[in-house]
Amino acid sequence: MTQMPASTTATVRPIVNDPASVEAAIEGRQSVRAFLPTPVPRPLLERLLALASRAPSGTNTQPWKVYVLQGASRDALVQKVCAAHDAVRANPALAEQYREVYDYYPKQWISPYIERRRENGLSLYSLLGIGKADKDRMHAQWQRNYRFFDAPVGLFVTIDKAMGGGSLLDTGMFLQNLTLAARAHGLDACAQAAWNGYASIVLPHVGAGENEMLVCGVALGYADPADIINTFRTPRVPVSEFSTWLE
């Protein structure tokens, strides 16, 4: 009989002791857009990243790399990107300098996704009392992305440009693990594709190599329960709408 390698003999745990807590973390997860300044201890951050790293990846490639920003490094990047964001508003031609490496969103929107996108934006800005004509407040609210919504921790996730598209899927599962682990420990997060256009500023700042591609940023910390924006909860379509059952 062939002996199995030691690394494959870990005990399988078929039953989760408290499935309700897992469901609570999933159902309680939301994109938080206002955080308290309360620091997050490094040991806790390391624990969250270790939990996130249990995400599946094709042939166990584990393609993700994470940069954790706090304190002065976080604040310096916020200042740089907010300045660039303001400059683009003053001179839209500068937007050509800040292009995403990969298309997070489609070039041409179709139904039903465009309707969901519009509903999301309208609901969020209506909650904040920001109308379509209020360009100054819209700009300021969008720039909250580049301030990590005041979260004390900002993370940037990258993958090697040499990897295939499947690594984006793998990294997405890593990010899901991270947000759920954060929720389980009383924290919240917001995954942010908004940073991707400013990768040319972000990547040199964090010391990333030329072979790295920015996947997204993440704001992480303790949610501000008093801010109205954190009452915003996005709807989900019913299972019957997105599933097909074959027997």
Side-chain angles (χ1 to χ4, degrees), residues 87-99:
V88 169
R89 187 191 184 195
N91 181 9
L94 294 176
E96 290 298 321
Q97 299 179 20
Y98 304 112
R99 292 293 183 185

Side-chain angles (χ1 to χ4, degrees), residues 196-218:
N196 293 4
Y198 293 97
S200 60
I201 298 175
V202 172
L203 295 178
H205 182 87
V206 301
E210 292 184 0
N211 62 309
E212 290 179 60
M213 179 181 80
L214 180 62
V215 176
C216 71
V218 181

Side-chain angles (χ1 to χ4, degrees), residues 32-138:
V32 163
R33 295 179 175 87
F35 291 85
L36 298 172
T38 309
V40 182
R42 178 165 180 161
L44 178 52
L45 289 171
E46 291 178 344
R47 176 59 179 161
L48 297 181
L49 291 172
L51 288 168
S53 73
R54 294 306 308 173
S57 60
T59 63
N60 199 35
T61 51
Q62 304 174 67
W64 46 78
K65 188 170 183 179
V66 181
Y67 297 88
V68 184
L69 279 70
Q70 298 172 282
S73 63
R74 173 206 173 280
D75 296 345
L77 181 63
V78 165
Q79 185 175 12
K80 290 178 187 177
V81 176
C82 285
H85 184 234
D86 287 339
V88 169
R89 187 191 184 195
N91 181 9
L94 294 176
E96 290 298 321
Q97 299 179 20
Y98 304 112
R99 292 293 183 185
E100 298 177 344
V101 175
Y102 72 98
D103 293 327
Y104 186 91
Y105 294 111
K107 296 184 184 300
Q108 182 65 46
W109 286 91
I110 61 173
S111 183
Y113 315 112
I114 184 61
E115 289 84 7
R116 293 173 187 168
R117 175 181 171 88
R118 286 171 177 163
E119 178 189 23
N120 186 75
L122 180 61
S123 298
L124 179 61
Y125 281 85
S126 294
L127 178 66
L128 299 174
I130 302 175
K132 289 183 178 180
D134 198 342
K135 302 302 182 184
D136 290 340
R137 290 188 66 195
M138 289 182 69

Side-chain angles (χ1 to χ4, degrees), residues 110-244:
I110 61 173
S111 183
Y113 315 112
I114 184 61
E115 289 84 7
R116 293 173 187 168
R117 175 181 171 88
R118 286 171 177 163
E119 178 189 23
N120 186 75
L122 180 61
S123 298
L124 179 61
Y125 281 85
S126 294
L127 178 66
L128 299 174
I130 302 175
K132 289 183 178 180
D134 198 342
K135 302 302 182 184
D136 290 340
R137 290 188 66 195
M138 289 182 69
H139 177 79
Q141 180 57 38
W142 186 256
Q143 194 171 99
R144 295 275 295 151
N145 278 283
Y146 308 127
R147 300 181 186 278
F148 293 107
F149 301 112
D150 296 329
V153 181
L155 302 96
F156 290 101
V157 182
T158 71
I159 61 172
D160 196 305
K161 294 176 183 176
M163 299 302 287
S167 289
L168 287 172
L169 175 63
D170 298 340
T171 305
M173 289 187 280
F174 171 89
L175 288 162
Q176 178 75 347
N177 271 8
L178 177 63
T179 60
L180 294 181
R183 184 82 290 279
H185 283 269
L187 290 91
D188 282 284
C190 184
Q192 302 172 274
W195 287 96
N196 293 4
Y198 293 97
S200 60
I201 298 175
V202 172
L203 295 178
H205 182 87
V206 301
E210 292 184 0
N211 62 309
E212 290 179 60
M213 179 181 80
L214 180 62
V215 176
C216 71
V218 181
L220 180 69
Y222 295 95
D224 183 350
D227 198 302
I228 191 173
I229 200 168
N230 286 336
T231 66
F232 181 64
R233 293 279 289 175
T234 53
R236 293 293 185 269
V237 299
V239 172
S240 59
E241 189 169 328
F242 65 78
S243 64
T244 300

